[in-house]
Amino acid sequence: MDTEREALQKSAYPEVQTFCQKHGLMFEVVDLRWGVRNTEATDHLTTELCLEEIDRCQKTSIGPTFVALVGDQYGPCVVPPLIEEKEWEALRAQLKTRPRDLELVARRFRKDENAVPPAYMLQAAGAGESRGPEEVTLTSVLHAGAQEARRLGLITQEQWYRYHRSVIEWEIERGLLSSEDGDQGATVFLREIQDLNKHILDDCALRLVDRLPDGCLDTDAQNLLSSLKGRIAEEHPGALKTHHLPWSRDLVNPKNKAHARYLKELGEQFVARANHQVLECLRELQAATQDLAWLYEDIRHHLGQSAEAARTFCGHRELLAQLGQRLRQSHSTPHSPQVIYGPPGIGKTALMCKLAELVPGLLGQKTVTVLRLLGTSQMSADARSLLRSICFQVCLAFGLPLPPAQVLEAHTRVVQFFHSLLHTVSRRNFEALIILLDSLDDLDTVRHTHRVPWLPPQCPPRVHLILSVCSGQQQGVLDMVRQTLLDPGAYWQVKPLSANQGQEMIELLLAAARRTLSQAQRDLLWASLPECGHPGRLRLAFEEARKWASFSVPAPLASTAQEATHQLCARLEQTHGQLLVSHVLGYIVASRHGLSEAELKDVLSLDDEVLQAVYRDWTPPSKELLRFPPLLWVRLRRDLGTCLARRPMDGCMLLALTYRQLAEAVCERYLSGPEKVKRHSILADFFSGAWSQGTRKLITLPLLGKPLNLDRKVAPQPLWFSDTVANLRKLKELPFHLLHAGRMEELKQDVLGSMSWISCRAMSGGLEALLDDFDLCAPHMDSPEVGLVCEALQLARPAMELRGLERNVLYTELLARLHFFATTHPALVGQLCQQAQSWFRVCPHPVLVPLTGFLQPPGGPLRVTLTGCHKGITAMAWSLEELLLVVGTQDGTVAVWDMKEHQVIHILAGHTGEVRCVKVFAKGTLAISASKDHTLRLWNLLSGQEKFTIRDGGSKDPTESQFWNLHLDEANKVVYSTSGSKVNAWNLETAEPVFHILGDASDAWVCTAVFASQARLLMVSVRGVVSLWSSATGKPQGKQQLSSVKEETPTCGVEVPKRGKLVTGFSNGSVSLVSPEGDRLLEKLPEAVGFLVISEDESLLAAGFGRSVRIFLADSQGFHHFMATDLEHEDTVETAVFGPKNNLIVTGSRDSLIQVWSLSEQGTLLDILEGVSAPVTLLARGGALVASASQQSSSFKVWDLTYVQKPRVSAPFLDRTGLTAVSHNGSYVYFPKIGDRNKVTIWDLAEGEEQDALDTSNEVRCLEVAEQTKLLFTGLVSGIVLVFPLNSRQDVMCIPPPEARKAINCMSLSKGEERLAIAYDNIVLVLDISPGDPCPVIDGPTYTFYTQLPETISSVAVLADYRVVYGMTNGDLFLYECANSKVFPLEAHRSRVTCVEVSHKEQLAVSGSEDTLLCLWDLQACKWKFEMSYTSSYCRGVQCACFSKDDKYVYAGLKDRSIIVWSVLDGTLLAVQFVHAVVNRIIPTSNGFIAPTRHGYLIRERFQCPSSRTSQQDPLKNFKKAVWLVKSRQREELATTTGTLQDSENAERNESKPNKRSQVCLIV
């Protein structure tokens, strides 16, 4: 059946493989007869292996498990390789009358008394003996003996079969006839040749049938074959597929048309049958699949592995007892996790598995045990997957809510959830939880960091965490664990077994394998292992000893584990050849996570060296394709035995080496220098798909001597197997192998520089997995472009978390950030941008396409945005030495973030109230936190452990301020806490009180200073009383009343330690310098002082008041006003921090803006940064890094101030008012000048600099540009409108107000720019704009009307026919016809109308409001057509809107920093795009829009909408808690009309239905 085999290899197998890949399955063909000589294919070992492979396929395969190709040959019967003693005696008794036959059998079989029970082993023929005839004779002799023994009843029917069945019948019996699944996964293809019987006797050379050695027909074999076919047809007719061929001399010639047609039909039938079997199994699995099936599968895997490991456990009983005692002793109190450590192979895994069996009975209460053998499955391979699976299992076991989706989005939140989950379980009180994590070294993410960030330093009561880790490695995982877990009593060393325990272990293993040893062999074994108690070494010794027959004389074994692994490799080389062993083991060890058997056989089929060695003495069976013979791998795999581990990952079973020492030996022997590069290079070839899909590869085989170009038939490797199934194996392995093969250019172009790769990796594995790949490769590549892409991905994280990992979101993020570098870095960044643009061009869904860069590019100030799993942030402090950021929160959590890895390393739980203050000291290793729960807690930041708690016993009055401040005196090791009218001092080493000071409860202290050098405390009270106390004893030293300030209340203070003074701010704006000697007024500010900040060297002071910050410079008298102008925000300034060299100050305000000012340039504004969409209440600097946070958000941002000194690819325009206007198709932007709102800045976007400034003489309130006539209209607070020609410096036109000093609220131009509307509080002017020379003429006002309403106008739009649409602050909306003096009320919004825009044909209008309601109006009917309401946890209203040029769409900018596109035709929500900044206004272009943002960039985008939207994606599908509801008036009116004919209940139900095309998406 060779031609059939080749036909299936060429066409059928690849087709089924592609089908399986599309369903997330791996297709593997196990054909042990392919590629080997007939003698090898029919020997006794191959038969046994075939049956084992059938069992393996039936156990693991989904769908087809067994395929038989049956022709007209029954095949030879094979000699059994092993005959049990009792059966042997029965056969021997029948041969006594035939001495020669008995002598032959006795010579070929030898008794092995090491087998249990004893058995006779078949011996290989001698070197000089001819194997063929003797083998036939031996078969015949045993056949006759078995026949007679069966007749006498000495052996059973099953035993008789062993001497009469051919290999084919054994296989069919195992694969089909005796299979428990019947024909569910089996198929038999039967080839019937018509009239064959007529030609059998004519031609004795015809090999289509069985023949005897003399050439005669073997009638017995033919009868057995006929019987076998009959059984198949009778028992499993559904599995039998018969093909009838006409007789022909050249029947097996593929050029024969009938035969070629048969081969084609065979292939098609095979494909159809296999695909059908796969689909049937998938349907059954899908029907039976339960929720969280992945979790249950993972748990079963670890339980199975654990049972296997614990089965041969011996020794270490005392250690087990000690561990059990420790668990019981610490069960009711907080305690450290326990760590079991020892060298590799010492028996830690077996100990952990045995402990898992015993723990349910250790604690005397219900116990939930969670066991993970790390690195042995996909969900235990890295920290992210591990923690997720543990959290799910614990929640299910304890009946707790599962982790929500927003927690699972980011690893840092999963870590926090895990820590809080342990405390939740602990508080339940009646159940215990024990988590056992074996082999922490095998956790992928641990090996690449310098910390174990998720490891809790302490377990709460009733929760136990037990880890095992290897020792003896320099800077290994054990050293990292010791940094976190400081308790020396938590570490348990696993010591070697005693000699007796070692012998006991060997005996257990032998008994389990049904083997024993002779006394001489035992003596040799123990002599080879003097005092060896190393279980790993003992296991390797057992693997050698189990192969010893009782009659063999083995060589001495190696005494150490290292020598034993090399001895094992040498034995394998001797049996299978050095080349094959070195390459097979080299590939397995060189892989990133392991290789499946199918992958390994494909890789070997690409290895020319291996194939040349395999086909050294015979030619391949095919002239078109070349594969590695599977039989050679199966033999090697069998000899490897338990040295091979199987790990379920990525939907398949991967092979890895069980023993770490063996992997080290493989690296040493086979992966040194160029050999390692070769292995990685071929693996890279395989996973890249370079030689798949029919691509042929040249090879020169020894027997042929000329190059052959042959198809290796390896699996194709696309990125996506289908729309939803990604090629996870390629994604994980290819970057690793390209890197280690040194193929950097390929890595850069095909992986890190491929948009398809980046999107596939992110969408299938998450953004963090993609960033892991960049972190893996970037250090080895001298490419700044890779760094730019990596940083752009980091900056995209907030959008990914908000929108989900959609391809268009990822492409938009990267394109809008990297476009700035497309021309300067064309090789990689430019290529990525082109790929993104190409994808957008063929995108089948409505999408917004970036045309320029408009998001913050890499290299800018923002380092990272991080989100915690907690409430708002109330305190922050840096540990610069350790590069940590300590964050205190409203819910009492203290989180320690590693700012190098950007992840939480400790969750410090203990506080039950809001954390008010955090201080870091002791070179960044310790921190103390103060909370509203009246406690101080001292933490070790390296270990995450609490050193002690100080209970303050403060007031229970919730209105009283708690812990206004903490003061540390490191020299004297004292901490001072101030709260209301109380000051406490505590010893930092003992937590003992030093003293307590209790003041006047009716006159609480507001400001406190500790002057350690003077040993003094200075406090200022609400009534202005200055008190002095000894900082050493707490005794009073004096009291005085403030003299410089009268009738003001202190609001804030900052100490000046070196001068021994306190700067205090007051409620009416006074700033006073207070010292023990007296006080002096420094400055009188216009408003109450909100905060005071002093620089590190005490040379600069900043005072915040209202919307301004004033800077003071230190002098001999104190401080004096430093700059001529104050630093101004648009909203109240909340906080500030000085830069590292006092050349910068960073300020944060209530409008969520952060501003960076240059102090060396007299307060020049350098940048405006966006916070976390909440008031900026905290700024903390550590070196050049500044962290910004808010009490209203769990997110914070980290900024890098060094960017100020670097050149920027595009300087953003600095506008914080939102009053921007754009001209010349986005070439120029106009906005009120920073620091002088009486001027308008003209910003040249192309040059990235200010071109000019226009003097308006009054504060600017609004701006409008007439693009066609090139005019800039500036509305002023005085009520005047100044009109500036943009293309010349001609005279400025002035439009006076209707009433003196009436401020302008808003302005609007008609679409043709022939009308101008100017709106005041309750007056609207409508003016005409007509052409003129040299500039247009403005006449009017043509119309003036009053609203006659108490509310003021908030937005306005004007039409060419003098109609005006205007919205009010209370949500009212009106249409006014100036010509008829008629007003038409439109249905009101529920809150302030923020924008009104008219369509270009002036038939429609759109209005938006602060309640996130958008209305589309029919201006002829004065009714709304569509009403859109958008509610989410992020949205805060509509900022601006406009119609597209063709009036088909509405573009709207929302205050949640997103842009939406709405269909005017049917009200459908077409697209949502998160742009990270509030859009000030949107201006339509021919194919999209331009929009200036609060970030200072101009968005320029094309809206692309396919003509047919039948398959439209839901733009909100990945939003969390987002609802978009569209109402249609037409539908509502129809419902109302229909309701008159139906009962009221039905009418009400119909009326509430949304439009059929509306997008209503609720994601919880």
Side-chain angles (χ1 to χ4, degrees), residues 1425-1426 1465-1468 1525-1532 1551-1560:
K1425 286 185 63 178
F1426 296 109
L1465 176 65
D1466 54 18
T1468 304
L1525 182 63
V1526 179
K1527 285 185 181 179
S1528 164
R1529 176 173 292 277
Q1530 182 180 1
R1531 162 131 344 233
E1532 290 203 354
E1551 187 176 350
S1552 65
K1553 284 186 179 179
N1555 183 297
K1556 65 177 180 179
R1557 294 300 303 279
S1558 69
Q1559 296 299 308
V1560 182

Side-chain angles (χ1 to χ4, degrees), residues 299-350:
I299 294 171
R300 280 193 295 269
H301 164 77
H302 292 287
L303 289 177
Q305 296 269 312
S306 172
E308 185 67 31
R311 189 171 293 125
T312 54
F313 172 82
C314 68
H316 302 310
R317 299 286 176 182
E318 185 180 349
L319 180 56
L320 271 177
Q322 291 172 348
L323 277 165
Q325 185 178 3
R326 172 61 63 88
L327 294 179
R328 287 190 292 271
Q329 289 173 346
S330 61
H331 187 57
S332 302
T333 58
H335 52 273
S336 172
Q338 305 299 296
V339 181
I340 296 171
Y341 71 97
I346 200 66
K348 299 183 295 298
T349 297

Side-chain angles (χ1 to χ4, degrees), residues 700-707:
T700 301
L701 296 178
L703 280 180
L704 300 176
K706 62 178 182 180

Side-chain angles (χ1 to χ4, degrees), residues 138-340:
L138 182 62
T139 303
S140 176
V141 168
L142 290 173
H143 180 96
Q147 186 76 18
E148 186 64 20
R150 173 76 183 107
R151 187 182 66 79
L152 296 174
L154 299 177
I155 61 174
T156 65
Q157 182 80 15
E158 287 299 319
Q159 289 172 323
W160 177 80
Y161 282 147
R162 300 177 66 208
Y163 306 95
H164 287 74
R165 281 180 174 171
S166 70
V167 180
I168 291 174
E169 184 163 0
W170 275 115
E171 291 172 333
I172 293 176
E173 181 71 33
R174 186 72 61 91
L176 174 64
L177 298 176
S178 63
S179 172
E180 293 180 359
D181 296 328
D183 60 3
Q184 187 175 9
T187 308
V188 177
F189 292 100
L190 178 61
R191 184 190 65 191
E192 293 281 7
I193 302 175
Q194 298 170 6
D195 301 325
L196 178 63
N197 293 336
K198 297 179 181 178
H199 303 278
I200 289 175
L201 300 176
D202 297 343
D203 188 354
C204 291
L206 193 64
R207 289 297 172 190
L208 292 174
V209 293
D210 299 285
R211 294 191 180 275
L212 297 171
D214 59 3
C216 295
L217 181 68
D218 188 340
T219 54
D220 288 344
Q222 289 293 293
N223 290 335
L224 287 170
L225 177 62
S226 178
S227 174
L228 175 62
K229 291 178 180 178
R231 282 185 65 198
I232 297 171
E234 181 181 345
E235 296 178 23
H236 298 283
L240 186 63
K241 308 296 176 186
T242 306
H243 292 263
H244 298 279
L245 274 76
W247 163 257
S248 172
R249 268 291 162 197
D250 60 346
L251 182 66
V252 295
N253 185 353
K255 294 182 180 178
N256 180 315
K257 290 184 178 179
H259 191 259
R261 186 166 55 253
Y262 151 66
L263 293 179
K264 182 173 181 291
E265 291 172 358
L266 174 69
E268 291 171 350
Q269 198 172 47
F270 176 87
V271 171
R273 174 75 173 168
N275 291 355
H276 173 74
Q277 289 171 329
V278 169
L279 285 177
E280 285 297 307
C281 280
L282 287 175
R283 288 193 191 101
E284 290 178 15
L285 286 173
Q286 192 171 9
T289 297
Q290 57 197 114
D291 292 337
L292 301 176
W294 59 269
L295 176 64
Y296 300 125
E297 184 180 332
D298 194 52
I299 294 171
R300 280 193 295 269
H301 164 77
H302 292 287
L303 289 177
Q305 296 269 312
S306 172
E308 185 67 31
R311 189 171 293 125
T312 54
F313 172 82
C314 68
H316 302 310
R317 299 286 176 182
E318 185 180 349
L319 180 56
L320 271 177
Q322 291 172 348
L323 277 165
Q325 185 178 3
R326 172 61 63 88
L327 294 179
R328 287 190 292 271
Q329 289 173 346
S330 61
H331 187 57
S332 302
T333 58
H335 52 273
S336 172
Q338 305 299 296
V339 181
I340 296 171

